[in-house]
Amino acid sequence: ILRQTNIRVYLGQRPKIDSSWKYDSAKPYLKGYRRIVTTKGEIVNADLVLFCTGTRLNNDMYPDDWMDDSGHLCVRPTMQLLKHDHIFAIG
């Protein structure tokens, strides 16, 4: 299903953090087009980057109606949010 919807999963690598990225724990994402280089040298074009690291769910930015009772995003097999076809969950 991921291939059919043109979603790519990058296993065993992570983005190289660019020093120009300003991380704010109250806003753990970056909006706007950017090119990301992974630790294996792959280039990924993105218009949204979510910082998804840590030992607890990083879900403070999401509206309650996007999540189930345990705080996890509610998604279809296509990784689209149940209530928003145009938003995909990645991590």
Side-chain angles (χ1 to χ4, degrees):
I1 291 176
L2 294 177
R3 284 188 188 143
Q4 293 170 348
T5 55
N6 201 27
I7 296 172
R8 294 188 188 126
V9 177
Y10 297 87
L11 300 175
Q13 56 191 318
R14 61 178 182 254
K16 291 182 182 178
I17 303 300
D18 186 305
S19 61
S20 69
W21 297 0
K22 306 250 188 297
Y23 177 78
D24 177 356
S25 61
K27 184 179 143 190
Y29 60 90
L30 298 172
K31 287 174 119 177
Y33 176 82
R34 66 193 74 240
R35 288 191 103 141
I36 299 168
V37 179
T38 72
T39 52
K40 290 187 177 179
E42 292 189 60
I43 296 173
V44 178
N45 297 314
D47 56 7
L48 177 66
V49 176
L50 301 174
F51 296 102
C52 304
T53 60
T55 56
R56 71 171 188 83
L57 287 175
N58 187 5
N59 62 4
D60 295 338
M61 72 188 107
Y62 305 127
D64 290 339
D65 70 325
W66 289 16
M67 299 180 284
D68 62 17
D69 291 338
S70 65
H72 294 89
L73 291 175
C74 298
V75 298
R76 297 185 181 107
T78 58
M79 300 303 286
Q80 291 167 283
L81 293 185
L82 286 178
K83 296 182 179 183
H84 302 279
D85 291 342
H86 65 289
I87 300 175
F88 291 81
I90 59 171

Coordinates of all heavy atoms in Angstrom, one line a residue:
I1 N 0.8 -1.2 0.0 CA 0.0 0.0 0.0 C 0.9 1.3 0.0 O 0.5 2.2 -0.7 CB -1.0 0.0 1.2 CG1 -2.0 -1.1 1.0 CG2 -1.6 1.4 1.4 CD1 -2.9 -1.3 2.2
L2 N 2.0 1.2 0.7 CA 2.8 2.4 0.8 C 3.4 2.8 -0.6 O 3.4 3.9 -1.0 CB 4.0 2.2 1.8 CG 3.6 2.1 3.2 CD1 4.8 1.8 4.1 CD2 2.9 3.3 3.7
R3 N 3.8 1.7 -1.4 CA 4.3 2.0 -2.7 C 3.2 2.6 -3.6 O 3.5 3.4 -4.4 CB 4.9 0.7 -3.3 CG 6.2 0.4 -2.8 CD 6.8 -0.8 -3.5 NE 8.0 -1.2 -2.8 CZ 8.4 -2.5 -2.7 NH1 7.7 -3.4 -3.3 NH2 9.5 -2.8 -2.1
Q4 N 2.0 2.0 -3.5 CA 0.9 2.5 -4.3 C 0.6 4.0 -4.1 O 0.1 4.7 -5.0 CB -0.3 1.7 -4.1 CG -0.2 0.2 -4.5 CD -1.4 -0.6 -4.0 OE1 -2.1 -0.2 -3.2 NE2 -1.5 -1.8 -4.6
T5 N 0.9 4.5 -2.9 CA 0.6 5.9 -2.6 C 1.8 6.7 -2.6 O 1.8 7.8 -2.1 CB -0.1 5.9 -1.2 OG1 0.8 5.3 -0.2 CG2 -1.4 5.3 -1.2
N6 N 2.9 6.2 -3.1 CA 4.2 6.9 -3.3 C 4.8 7.3 -2.0 O 5.4 8.4 -1.9 CB 4.0 8.1 -4.3 CG 5.4 8.5 -4.8 OD1 6.3 7.7 -4.9 ND2 5.5 9.7 -5.2
I7 N 4.6 6.5 -0.9 CA 5.2 6.8 0.4 C 6.5 6.0 0.5 O 6.5 4.7 0.2 CB 4.3 6.5 1.5 CG1 3.1 7.4 1.5 CG2 5.0 6.6 2.9 CD1 2.0 7.0 2.4
R8 N 7.6 6.6 0.8 CA 8.9 5.9 0.9 C 9.2 5.7 2.4 O 9.1 6.7 3.2 CB 10.0 6.6 0.2 CG 9.7 6.6 -1.3 CD 11.0 7.2 -2.0 NE 10.6 7.4 -3.4 CZ 10.8 8.5 -4.0 NH1 11.3 9.6 -3.4 NH2 10.4 8.6 -5.3
V9 N 9.8 4.6 2.8 CA 10.2 4.3 4.1 C 11.7 4.1 4.0 O 12.2 3.3 3.2 CB 9.5 3.0 4.7 CG1 10.1 2.7 6.1 CG2 8.0 3.2 4.7
Y10 N 12.4 4.9 4.9 CA 13.9 4.8 4.9 C 14.3 4.1 6.2 O 14.2 4.7 7.3 CB 14.5 6.2 4.8 CG 14.1 6.9 3.5 CD1 13.0 7.6 3.4 CD2 15.0 6.9 2.4 CE1 12.6 8.3 2.2 CE2 14.7 7.5 1.3 CZ 13.5 8.2 1.1 OH 13.2 8.8 0.0
L11 N 14.8 2.9 6.0 CA 15.1 2.0 7.2 C 16.6 2.1 7.4 O 17.4 2.2 6.5 CB 14.7 0.6 7.0 CG 13.2 0.3 6.8 CD1 13.0 -1.1 6.4 CD2 12.4 0.8 8.0
G12 N 17.0 2.1 8.7 CA 18.4 2.0 9.1 C 19.2 3.3 8.8 O 20.4 3.3 8.6
Q13 N 18.5 4.4 8.8 CA 19.1 5.7 8.5 C 18.2 6.8 9.1 O 17.1 6.6 9.4 CB 19.4 6.0 7.0 CG 18.1 5.9 6.2 CD 18.5 5.8 4.7 OE1 19.3 6.6 4.3 NE2 17.8 5.0 4.0
R14 N 18.8 8.0 9.2 CA 18.1 9.1 9.8 C 18.5 10.4 9.0 O 19.6 10.4 8.4 CB 18.2 9.2 11.3 CG 19.7 9.5 11.7 CD 19.7 9.6 13.2 NE 21.1 9.9 13.6 CZ 21.9 9.0 14.2 NH1 21.4 7.8 14.5 NH2 23.1 9.3 14.5
P15 N 17.8 11.4 9.1 CA 18.2 12.7 8.5 C 19.5 13.3 9.2 O 19.6 13.2 10.4 CB 17.1 13.6 8.6 CG 16.0 12.9 9.3 CD 16.5 11.6 9.8
K16 N 20.4 13.8 8.4 CA 21.5 14.6 8.9 C 20.9 16.0 9.3 O 20.2 16.6 8.5 CB 22.6 14.8 7.9 CG 23.3 13.5 7.6 CD 24.4 13.8 6.6 CE 25.2 12.5 6.3 NZ 26.2 12.8 5.3
I17 N 21.0 16.4 10.5 CA 20.4 17.6 11.0 C 21.2 18.8 10.5 O 22.5 18.9 10.6 CB 20.4 17.7 12.5 CG1 19.6 16.5 13.1 CG2 19.8 19.0 13.0 CD1 18.2 16.4 12.6
D18 N 20.6 19.7 9.8 CA 21.2 20.9 9.3 C 21.3 22.0 10.4 O 20.3 22.2 11.1 CB 20.3 21.4 8.1 CG 21.0 22.6 7.4 OD1 21.3 23.6 8.0 OD2 21.1 22.5 6.2
S19 N 22.4 22.6 10.5 CA 22.6 23.6 11.6 C 21.7 24.8 11.5 O 21.5 25.5 12.5 CB 24.1 24.1 11.6 OG 24.4 24.7 10.4
S20 N 21.1 25.0 10.3 CA 20.2 26.1 10.2 C 18.8 25.8 10.7 O 18.0 26.7 10.9 CB 20.0 26.5 8.7 OG 19.4 25.5 8.0
W21 N 18.5 24.5 11.0 CA 17.2 24.2 11.6 C 17.1 24.6 13.0 O 18.0 24.3 13.8 CB 17.0 22.6 11.5 CG 17.0 22.1 10.1 CD1 17.1 22.8 8.9 CD2 16.8 20.7 9.7 NE1 17.0 21.9 7.9 CE2 16.8 20.7 8.3 CE3 16.6 19.6 10.5 CZ2 16.7 19.5 7.6 CZ3 16.5 18.4 9.8 CH2 16.5 18.3 8.4
K22 N 16.1 25.3 13.3 CA 15.9 25.8 14.7 C 14.9 24.9 15.4 O 13.7 24.9 15.1 CB 15.4 27.2 14.7 CG 16.3 28.2 13.9 CD 17.0 29.1 14.8 CE 17.8 30.2 14.0 NZ 18.8 29.8 13.2
Y23 N 15.3 24.1 16.3 CA 14.4 23.1 17.0 C 13.8 23.8 18.2 O 14.5 24.5 19.0 CB 15.2 21.9 17.5 CG 14.3 21.0 18.3 CD1 13.4 20.1 17.6 CD2 14.4 20.9 19.7 CE1 12.6 19.3 18.3 CE2 13.6 20.1 20.4 CZ 12.7 19.3 19.7 OH 11.8 18.4 20.4
D24 N 12.5 23.7 18.4 CA 11.8 24.3 19.5 C 10.9 23.2 20.0 O 10.0 22.7 19.3 CB 11.0 25.5 19.0 CG 10.1 26.1 20.1 OD1 10.1 25.6 21.2 OD2 9.4 27.1 19.8
S25 N 11.1 22.8 21.3 CA 10.3 21.6 21.8 C 8.8 21.9 21.9 O 8.0 21.0 21.8 CB 10.9 21.2 23.2 OG 10.7 22.3 24.1
A26 N 8.5 23.2 21.9 CA 7.0 23.5 21.8 C 6.5 23.4 20.4 O 5.3 23.4 20.2 CB 6.8 25.0 22.4
K27 N 7.3 23.4 19.4 CA 6.9 23.3 18.0 C 7.9 22.3 17.3 O 8.8 22.7 16.6 CB 7.0 24.7 17.4 CG 6.5 24.7 16.0 CD 6.6 26.2 15.5 CE 7.0 26.2 14.1 NZ 7.3 27.5 13.5
P28 N 7.8 21.0 17.6 CA 8.8 20.0 17.1 C 8.6 19.6 15.7 O 8.5 18.5 15.3 CB 8.5 18.8 18.1 CG 7.1 18.9 18.4 CD 6.8 20.4 18.5
Y29 N 8.5 20.6 14.8 CA 8.4 20.3 13.4 C 8.9 21.6 12.6 O 9.0 22.7 13.1 CB 7.0 20.0 13.0 CG 6.0 21.1 13.2 CD1 5.7 22.1 12.3 CD2 5.3 21.2 14.5 CE1 4.9 23.2 12.6 CE2 4.4 22.2 14.7 CZ 4.2 23.2 13.8 OH 3.3 24.2 14.0
L30 N 9.2 21.3 11.3 CA 9.6 22.4 10.4 C 8.7 22.4 9.2 O 8.6 21.3 8.6 CB 11.1 22.2 10.0 CG 12.2 22.3 11.1 CD1 13.5 21.9 10.5 CD2 12.3 23.6 11.7
K31 N 8.1 23.5 8.9 CA 7.3 23.6 7.7 C 8.1 24.3 6.6 O 9.0 25.1 6.9 CB 6.0 24.4 8.0 CG 5.0 23.7 8.8 CD 3.9 24.6 9.2 CE 2.6 24.1 8.6 NZ 1.5 25.0 9.0
G32 N 7.8 23.9 5.4 CA 8.4 24.6 4.2 C 9.3 23.6 3.5 O 10.0 22.7 4.1
Y33 N 9.4 23.7 2.2 CA 10.2 22.8 1.4 C 11.7 22.8 1.8 O 12.3 23.9 2.1 CB 10.1 23.2 -0.1 CG 11.0 22.3 -0.9 CD1 10.6 21.1 -1.3 CD2 12.3 22.8 -1.3 CE1 11.4 20.3 -2.1 CE2 13.1 22.0 -2.1 CZ 12.6 20.7 -2.5 OH 13.4 19.9 -3.3
R34 N 12.3 21.6 1.9 CA 13.7 21.5 2.1 C 14.2 20.2 1.6 O 13.4 19.2 1.5 CB 14.1 21.7 3.6 CG 13.5 20.6 4.5 CD 13.6 21.0 6.0 NE 12.6 22.0 6.3 CZ 12.9 23.2 6.7 NH1 14.1 23.6 7.0 NH2 11.9 24.1 6.9
R35 N 15.5 20.1 1.3 CA 16.1 18.8 0.9 C 16.8 18.3 2.1 O 17.5 19.0 2.8 CB 17.2 19.1 -0.2 CG 16.6 19.4 -1.5 CD 17.7 19.4 -2.5 NE 17.5 18.2 -3.2 CZ 17.6 18.0 -4.5 NH1 18.0 19.0 -5.2 NH2 17.4 16.9 -5.1
I36 N 16.5 17.0 2.4 CA 17.1 16.3 3.5 C 18.1 15.3 3.0 O 17.8 14.5 2.1 CB 16.0 15.6 4.4 CG1 15.1 16.7 4.9 CG2 16.6 14.8 5.5 CD1 13.8 16.2 5.5
V37 N 19.3 15.2 3.6 CA 20.2 14.2 3.3 C 20.3 13.2 4.4 O 20.4 13.6 5.6 CB 21.6 14.7 3.0 CG1 22.6 13.6 2.7 CG2 21.6 15.8 1.9
T38 N 20.1 11.9 4.1 CA 20.1 10.9 5.2 C 21.6 10.5 5.5 O 22.5 10.8 4.8 CB 19.3 9.6 4.8 OG1 20.1 8.9 3.8 CG2 18.0 10.0 4.3
T39 N 21.7 9.7 6.6 CA 23.0 9.3 7.0 C 23.6 8.3 6.0 O 24.8 8.1 6.0 CB 23.0 8.6 8.4 OG1 22.0 7.6 8.4 CG2 22.7 9.7 9.5
K40 N 22.8 7.8 5.1 CA 23.4 6.9 4.0 C 23.5 7.7 2.7 O 23.8 7.1 1.7 CB 22.4 5.7 3.8 CG 22.5 4.7 4.9 CD 21.7 3.5 4.6 CE 21.8 2.5 5.7 NZ 21.0 1.3 5.4
G41 N 23.3 9.0 2.7 CA 23.5 9.9 1.6 C 22.4 10.0 0.6 O 22.5 10.6 -0.4
E42 N 21.2 9.4 1.0 CA 20.0 9.6 0.1 C 19.5 11.0 0.3 O 19.5 11.5 1.4 CB 19.0 8.5 0.5 CG 19.4 7.1 0.1 CD 18.3 6.1 0.3 OE1 17.2 6.3 -0.4 OE2 18.4 5.2 1.1
I43 N 18.9 11.5 -0.8 CA 18.3 12.8 -0.7 C 16.8 12.7 -0.7 O 16.2 12.0 -1.6 CB 18.8 13.7 -1.9 CG1 20.3 13.9 -1.8 CG2 18.0 15.0 -2.0 CD1 20.9 14.6 -3.0
V44 N 16.2 13.4 0.2 CA 14.7 13.3 0.3 C 14.2 14.7 0.3 O 14.7 15.6 1.0 CB 14.3 12.7 1.7 CG1 12.8 12.7 1.9 CG2 14.9 11.3 1.9
N45 N 13.2 15.0 -0.6 CA 12.6 16.3 -0.7 C 11.3 16.3 0.2 O 10.5 15.4 0.1 CB 12.1 16.6 -2.1 CG 13.3 16.7 -3.1 OD1 14.3 17.3 -2.7 ND2 13.2 16.0 -4.2
A46 N 11.2 17.2 1.1 CA 10.1 17.3 2.1 C 9.6 18.7 2.2 O 10.3 19.6 2.1 CB 10.6 16.8 3.4
D47 N 8.3 18.7 2.5 CA 7.7 20.0 2.8 C 7.3 20.1 4.3 O 6.8 21.1 4.8 CB 6.5 20.3 1.9 CG 5.4 19.3 2.0 OD1 5.5 18.4 2.8 OD2 4.5 19.4 1.2
L48 N 7.5 19.0 5.0 CA 7.3 19.0 6.5 C 8.2 18.0 7.1 O 8.3 16.9 6.7 CB 5.8 18.6 6.8 CG 5.4 18.5 8.2 CD1 5.5 19.9 8.9 CD2 4.0 17.9 8.4
V49 N 8.9 18.5 8.2 CA 9.8 17.6 8.9 C 9.3 17.5 10.3 O 9.1 18.6 11.0 CB 11.3 18.1 8.9 CG1 12.2 17.2 9.7 CG2 11.8 18.2 7.5
L50 N 9.0 16.3 10.8 CA 8.6 16.1 12.2 C 9.8 15.5 13.0 O 10.4 14.5 12.6 CB 7.4 15.2 12.3 CG 6.2 15.6 11.5 CD1 5.1 14.5 11.5 CD2 5.6 16.9 12.1
F51 N 10.1 16.1 14.2 CA 11.1 15.5 15.0 C 10.4 14.5 15.9 O 9.6 14.8 16.7 CB 11.7 16.6 15.9 CG 12.5 17.6 15.1 CD1 11.9 18.9 14.8 CD2 13.7 17.3 14.6 CE1 12.6 19.8 14.0 CE2 14.4 18.2 13.8 CZ 13.9 19.5 13.5
C52 N 10.7 13.2 15.7 CA 10.0 12.1 16.3 C 10.9 11.2 17.1 O 11.0 10.0 16.9 CB 9.3 11.3 15.2 SG 8.2 12.2 14.2
T53 N 11.7 11.8 18.0 CA 12.6 11.1 18.8 C 12.2 11.2 20.3 O 11.5 12.2 20.6 CB 14.1 11.5 18.6 OG1 14.1 12.9 19.0 CG2 14.5 11.3 17.2
G54 N 12.6 10.3 21.1 CA 12.4 10.4 22.5 C 11.7 9.1 23.0 O 11.4 8.2 22.2
T55 N 11.5 9.0 24.3 CA 11.0 7.8 24.9 C 9.5 7.9 25.1 O 8.9 6.9 25.4 CB 11.7 7.5 26.2 OG1 11.6 8.6 27.0 CG2 13.2 7.2 26.0
R56 N 8.9 9.1 25.0 CA 7.5 9.2 25.2 C 6.9 9.7 23.8 O 7.6 10.3 23.0 CB 7.1 10.2 26.3 CG 7.4 11.6 26.0 CD 6.8 12.5 27.1 NE 6.9 13.9 26.8 CZ 6.1 14.6 26.0 NH1 5.0 14.0 25.5 NH2 6.2 15.9 25.7
L57 N 5.6 9.5 23.7 CA 5.0 10.0 22.5 C 5.1 11.5 22.3 O 4.9 12.3 23.3 CB 3.5 9.7 22.5 CG 3.1 8.2 22.3 CD1 1.6 8.0 22.5 CD2 3.5 7.7 20.9
N58 N 5.5 11.9 21.2 CA 5.7 13.3 20.9 C 4.5 13.8 20.1 O 4.5 14.0 18.9 CB 7.0 13.5 20.0 CG 7.4 15.0 19.8 OD1 6.7 15.8 20.4 ND2 8.4 15.2 19.0
N59 N 3.4 13.9 20.8 CA 2.1 14.2 20.2 C 1.4 15.5 20.7 O 0.3 15.8 20.4 CB 1.1 13.1 20.4 CG 0.8 12.8 21.9 OD1 1.2 13.6 22.7 ND2 0.1 11.8 22.2
D60 N 2.2 16.4 21.3 CA 1.6 17.6 21.9 C 1.1 18.5 20.8 O 0.2 19.3 21.0 CB 2.6 18.4 22.7 CG 3.0 17.6 23.9 OD1 2.3 16.7 24.4 OD2 4.1 17.9 24.5
M61 N 1.6 18.4 19.6 CA 1.2 19.3 18.5 C -0.1 18.9 17.8 O -0.6 19.7 17.0 CB 2.3 19.4 17.4 CG 2.5 18.1 16.6 SD 3.9 18.1 15.6 CE 4.9 17.0 16.5
Y62 N -0.6 17.7 18.0 CA -1.7 17.1 17.3 C -3.0 17.4 18.0 O -3.1 17.3 19.3 CB -1.6 15.6 17.1 CG -0.3 15.2 16.5 CD1 0.5 14.2 17.0 CD2 0.1 15.7 15.2 CE1 1.6 13.8 16.4 CE2 1.2 15.3 14.6 CZ 2.0 14.4 15.2 OH 3.2 14.0 14.6
P63 N -4.1 17.8 17.3 CA -5.4 17.9 17.9 C -5.9 16.6 18.5 O -5.6 15.5 17.9 CB -6.3 18.4 16.8 CG -5.4 18.9 15.7 CD -4.1 18.1 15.9
D64 N -6.7 16.7 19.5 CA -7.1 15.4 20.2 C -7.9 14.5 19.2 O -7.9 13.3 19.3 CB -8.0 15.8 21.4 CG -7.2 16.3 22.5 OD1 -6.0 16.1 22.6 OD2 -7.8 17.0 23.4
D65 N -8.7 15.1 18.3 CA -9.5 14.3 17.4 C -8.7 13.5 16.4 O -9.2 12.7 15.6 CB -10.6 15.1 16.7 CG -10.0 16.1 15.7 OD1 -8.9 16.6 15.9 OD2 -10.7 16.3 14.7
W66 N -7.3 13.7 16.3 CA -6.5 12.9 15.4 C -6.0 11.7 16.1 O -5.5 10.8 15.5 CB -5.2 13.7 15.1 CG -5.4 14.9 14.1 CD1 -6.6 15.5 13.8 CD2 -4.4 15.6 13.4 NE1 -6.4 16.5 12.9 CE2 -5.0 16.6 12.7 CE3 -3.0 15.4 13.3 CZ2 -4.3 17.5 11.9 CZ3 -2.3 16.3 12.5 CH2 -3.0 17.3 11.8
M67 N -6.2 11.6 17.5 CA -5.6 10.5 18.2 C -6.6 9.6 18.9 O -7.7 10.0 19.1 CB -4.7 11.1 19.3 CG -3.5 11.9 18.8 SD -2.5 12.6 20.0 CE -3.5 14.0 20.6
D68 N -6.1 8.4 19.2 CA -7.0 7.5 20.0 C -6.8 7.8 21.5 O -6.0 8.7 21.8 CB -6.7 6.0 19.6 CG -5.2 5.6 20.0 OD1 -4.5 6.3 20.7 OD2 -4.8 4.5 19.4
D69 N -7.4 7.0 22.3 CA -7.3 7.2 23.8 C -5.9 7.1 24.4 O -5.6 7.6 25.4 CB -8.2 6.2 24.5 CG -9.7 6.5 24.3 OD1 -10.0 7.7 23.9 OD2 -10.5 5.6 24.4
S70 N -5.0 6.3 23.7 CA -3.6 6.2 24.2 C -2.7 7.2 23.6 O -1.5 7.2 23.9 CB -3.1 4.8 23.8 OG -3.0 4.6 22.4
G71 N -3.2 8.2 22.8 CA -2.4 9.2 22.2 C -1.7 8.9 20.9 O -0.9 9.7 20.4
H72 N -2.0 7.8 20.3 CA -1.5 7.4 19.0 C -2.4 8.0 17.9 O -3.6 8.0 18.0 CB -1.4 5.9 18.8 CG -0.4 5.3 19.8 ND1 -0.8 4.9 21.1 CD2 0.9 5.1 19.7 CE1 0.3 4.4 21.7 NE2 1.3 4.5 20.8
L73 N -1.7 8.4 16.8 CA -2.5 8.9 15.6 C -3.4 7.8 15.0 O -2.9 6.6 14.9 CB -1.6 9.4 14.5 CG -0.8 10.7 14.9 CD1 0.2 11.0 13.7 CD2 -1.7 11.8 15.1
C74 N -4.6 8.1 14.7 CA -5.5 7.1 14.0 C -5.3 7.2 12.5 O -5.6 8.3 11.9 CB -6.9 7.5 14.4 SG -7.3 7.4 16.1
V75 N -4.8 6.2 11.9 CA -4.5 6.2 10.5 C -5.1 5.0 9.8 O -5.4 4.0 10.4 CB -3.0 6.2 10.2 CG1 -2.3 7.4 10.8 CG2 -2.3 5.0 10.8
R76 N -5.2 5.1 8.5 CA -5.6 4.0 7.6 C -4.4 3.2 7.2 O -3.3 3.6 7.5 CB -6.2 4.6 6.3 CG -7.5 5.4 6.5 CD -8.1 5.8 5.2 NE -9.2 6.6 5.4 CZ -9.3 7.9 5.3 NH1 -8.3 8.6 4.8 NH2 -10.4 8.6 5.5
P77 N -4.6 2.1 6.5 CA -3.4 1.3 6.0 C -2.5 2.1 5.1 O -1.3 1.8 5.0 CB -4.0 0.1 5.3 CG -5.4 0.0 5.9 CD -5.8 1.4 6.3
T78 N -3.0 3.2 4.5 CA -2.3 4.1 3.6 C -1.5 5.1 4.4 O -0.8 5.9 3.8 CB -3.2 4.8 2.7 OG1 -4.2 5.5 3.4 CG2 -3.9 3.8 1.7
M79 N -1.6 5.1 5.7 CA -0.9 6.1 6.6 C -1.6 7.4 6.6 O -1.1 8.4 7.2 CB 0.6 6.2 6.4 CG 1.3 4.9 6.5 SD 1.1 4.1 8.2 CE 2.1 5.2 9.2
Q80 N -2.7 7.6 5.9 CA -3.5 8.8 6.0 C -4.3 8.9 7.3 O -4.8 7.8 7.8 CB -4.5 8.8 4.8 CG -3.9 9.0 3.5 CD -4.9 8.7 2.4 OE1 -5.2 7.5 2.1 NE2 -5.4 9.7 1.8
L81 N -4.4 10.1 7.8 CA -5.2 10.2 9.0 C -6.7 9.9 8.7 O -7.1 10.1 7.6 CB -5.2 11.6 9.6 CG -3.8 12.1 10.1 CD1 -4.0 13.5 10.7 CD2 -3.3 11.2 11.2
L82 N -7.3 9.2 9.6 CA -8.7 8.8 9.4 C -9.6 9.9 9.0 O -10.5 9.8 8.1 CB -9.3 8.1 10.7 CG -8.8 6.7 11.0 CD1 -9.4 6.2 12.3 CD2 -9.1 5.8 9.8
K83 N -9.5 11.1 9.6 CA -10.4 12.2 9.4 C -9.8 13.2 8.4 O -10.5 14.2 8.1 CB -10.7 12.9 10.7 CG -11.4 12.0 11.7 CD -11.8 12.8 12.9 CE -12.5 11.9 13.9 NZ -12.9 12.6 15.1
H84 N -8.6 13.0 7.8 CA -8.0 14.0 7.0 C -7.2 13.3 5.9 O -6.1 12.9 6.0 CB -7.1 14.9 7.7 CG -7.8 15.6 8.9 ND1 -8.5 16.8 8.6 CD2 -7.8 15.4 10.2 CE1 -9.0 17.2 9.8 NE2 -8.6 16.4 10.7
D85 N -7.8 13.1 4.7 CA -7.2 12.4 3.6 C -5.9 13.0 3.1 O -5.0 12.3 2.6 CB -8.2 12.3 2.4 CG -9.4 11.4 2.6 OD1 -9.3 10.6 3.6 OD2 -10.3 11.6 1.9
H86 N -5.7 14.3 3.3 CA -4.6 15.0 2.8 C -3.4 15.0 3.7 O -2.3 15.5 3.4 CB -4.9 16.4 2.4 CG -5.3 17.3 3.5 ND1 -6.5 17.1 4.2 CD2 -4.7 18.3 4.2 CE1 -6.6 18.0 5.2 NE2 -5.5 18.7 5.2
I87 N -3.5 14.4 4.9 CA -2.4 14.3 5.9 C -2.0 12.9 6.1 O -2.8 12.0 6.4 CB -2.9 15.0 7.3 CG1 -3.3 16.4 7.0 CG2 -1.7 14.9 8.3 CD1 -3.9 17.1 8.3
F88 N -0.7 12.7 6.0 CA -0.1 11.3 6.2 C 0.8 11.3 7.4 O 1.5 12.3 7.7 CB 0.8 11.0 5.0 CG 0.0 10.7 3.7 CD1 -0.4 11.8 3.0 CD2 -0.3 9.4 3.3 CE1 -1.2 11.6 1.8 CE2 -1.1 9.2 2.2 CZ -1.5 10.3 1.4
A89 N 0.8 10.2 8.1 CA 1.6 10.0 9.3 C 2.9 9.3 8.9 O 2.9 8.3 8.1 CB 0.9 9.2 10.3
I90 N 4.0 9.8 9.3 CA 5.3 9.2 9.1 C 6.1 9.2 10.4 O 5.8 9.9 11.3 CB 6.1 10.0 8.0 CG1 6.3 11.4 8.3 CG2 5.3 9.9 6.6 CD1 7.2 12.1 7.4
G91 N 7.2 8.5 10.4 CA 8.0 8.5 11.6 C 9.0 7.4 11.6 O 9.1 6.6 10.7

